[in-house]
Amino acid sequence: QGSLHCDDVKGKDTTIVLPTSQKQLRACLGCRLLKTSSQWREPCENGCSEENTSNFKGMVCFMDTSDSWVARWQRSEGKVRGVYAIKVYGSALDAQARRDEEEFDRGDMEDDGKLDEDFDDYDDDYSER
C-alpha cells in the first residue's frame, strides 16, 4: 500500500513510495521519506531507521534520485523514488527517549529495586560529608 511499480526506466529501481493521504504525514528520521502514519506500520523502504516523526518542514518529490542535483543536495541519492521531507527535526535518540517516557507513564518499566539501592548509597555518601 503506497508503493507503486512502474515499467523499468533505464534499468533503475522502479519502486515509487507515495503517501496515500496528505494528512498525518510522518518522515523517517534516517532518510526523510514521507508516508502516512498508517503506512509506517511497514518498515522504511530505504532500509534505514524505523523511527519517524511528524516534525518536519517542506516536501520534495524525487522521480530519479541518481540524476537529480536536488537529491544530491538533500543526500537522497540512491534512495527509492517518492516524497521526502526537506528538513526533519529530532533524532532516533529523541524517539527512543519518548518511547521510554511513554512506557514509564504507562507503568510498563520494571522496578528491579536497584534504583532505591543506588539512591540509598548516594544518600549515605552525601550525609557523611
Side-chain angles (χ1 to χ4, degrees):
Q1 177 162 338
S3 292
L4 303 173
H5 294 280
C6 301
D7 293 333
D8 191 23
V9 180
K10 298 185 213 170
K12 297 178 182 175
D13 183 13
T14 58
T15 302
I16 302 172
V17 179
L18 299 173
T20 55
S21 169
Q22 291 184 5
K23 295 180 181 178
Q24 298 181 338
L25 289 177
R26 300 185 65 80
C28 175
L29 287 171
C31 68
R32 300 186 309 277
L33 180 66
L34 286 174
K35 300 193 296 186
T36 62
S37 55
S38 61
Q39 286 175 292
W40 278 112
R41 293 184 186 127
E42 299 296 320
C44 179
E45 283 77 1
N46 288 314
C48 49
S49 174
E50 292 184 20
E51 305 298 333
N52 56 73
T53 180
S54 60
N55 196 4
F56 66 90
K57 189 180 234 182
M59 291 185 262
V60 64
C61 184
F62 295 124
M63 293 287 104
D64 186 353
T65 59
S66 65
D67 267 347
S68 167
W69 70 267
V70 178
R72 283 193 305 274
W73 171 60
Q74 286 289 304
R75 295 186 178 99
S76 296
E77 292 175 287
K79 306 291 186 210
V80 297
R81 297 186 289 170
V83 182
Y84 288 80
I86 292 175
K87 176 100 174 132
V88 173
Y89 302 97
S91 70
L93 292 175
D94 294 339
Q96 181 62 47
R98 187 179 57 251
R99 272 197 318 278
D100 289 348
E101 188 174 300
E102 288 169 358
E103 281 183 27
F104 181 78
D105 289 344
R106 287 193 315 261
D108 292 346
M109 299 190 79
E110 292 182 26
D111 180 11
D112 61 1
K114 182 101 176 91
L115 183 61
D116 294 333
E117 293 170 17
D118 290 343
F119 180 76
D120 289 342
D121 290 343
Y122 174 79
D123 195 35
D124 291 342
D125 291 344
Y126 187 74
S127 62
E128 291 175 5
R129 293 182 185 176

